[in-house]
């Protein structure tokens, strides 16, 4: 956990079943996401690369900087620029998200009853 002047980030190993679809195609599916909660931001699921169709990703020249997490690198999906990001060298306080991929459009899959 990292906390700075009212800003807080927590990361936990999730057991949710999450899926990412783009243009009707499953791009990622995982039952072992890292769940990142950050003050003022929506919950984000960081997925292990083994659970992502990396063959559909094209590296982007986009990079953004977060003072709490570090510099993010981005990838595009066919017809969707900069839809995926990761922190190749995250700050020590959030080291567990290293190389995990995060998507803007992730949905939790309902459990079968």
């Amino acid at each position: 956990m990292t906390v700075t002047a009212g800003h807080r980030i927590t990361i936990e190993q999730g057991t949710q079943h999450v899926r990412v679809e783009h243009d009707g195609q499953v791009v990622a599916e995982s039952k072992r996401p890292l769940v990142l909660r950050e003050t003022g931001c929506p919950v984000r699921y960081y997925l292990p690369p083994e659970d992502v169709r990396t063959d559909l990703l094209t590296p982007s020249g986009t990079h953004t900087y977060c003072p709490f997490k570090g510099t993010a690198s981005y990838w595009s999906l066919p017809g969707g620029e900069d839809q995926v990001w990761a922190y190749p060298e995250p700050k020590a306080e959030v080291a567990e998200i290293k190389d995990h991929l995060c998507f803007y459009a992730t949905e939790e899959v309902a459990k079968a009853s």
Side-chain angles (χ1 to χ4, degrees), residues 1-3 9 11 67-68 90-96:
M1 170 176 53
T2 181
V3 179
I9 294 176
I11 300 168
F68 305 102
K91 295 194 175 236
E93 297 84 4
V94 293
E96 53 268 69

Side-chain angles (χ1 to χ4, degrees), residues 11 15 24 31 33 37 45 47 52 61-63 67-68 86 89-91 93-95 106:
I11 300 168
T15 57
K31 291 184 179 176
R37 290 180 174 83
Y45 298 103
L47 309 180
V52 176
T62 302
H63 299 280
F68 305 102
E89 299 294 331
K91 295 194 175 236
E93 297 84 4
V94 293
T106 305

Side-chain angles (χ1 to χ4, degrees), residues 55-78:
D55 60 305
L56 298 175
L57 305 180
T58 303
S60 163
T62 302
H63 299 280
T64 58
Y65 178 75
C66 169
F68 305 102
K69 295 187 290 288
T71 300
S73 297
Y74 286 75
W75 289 264
S76 297
L77 291 165

Side-chain angles (χ1 to χ4, degrees), residues 2 10 17 19-20 45-46 86-87:
T2 181
T10 61
H17 181 181
R19 177 184 299 139
V20 178
Y45 298 103
Y46 282 78
Y87 289 89

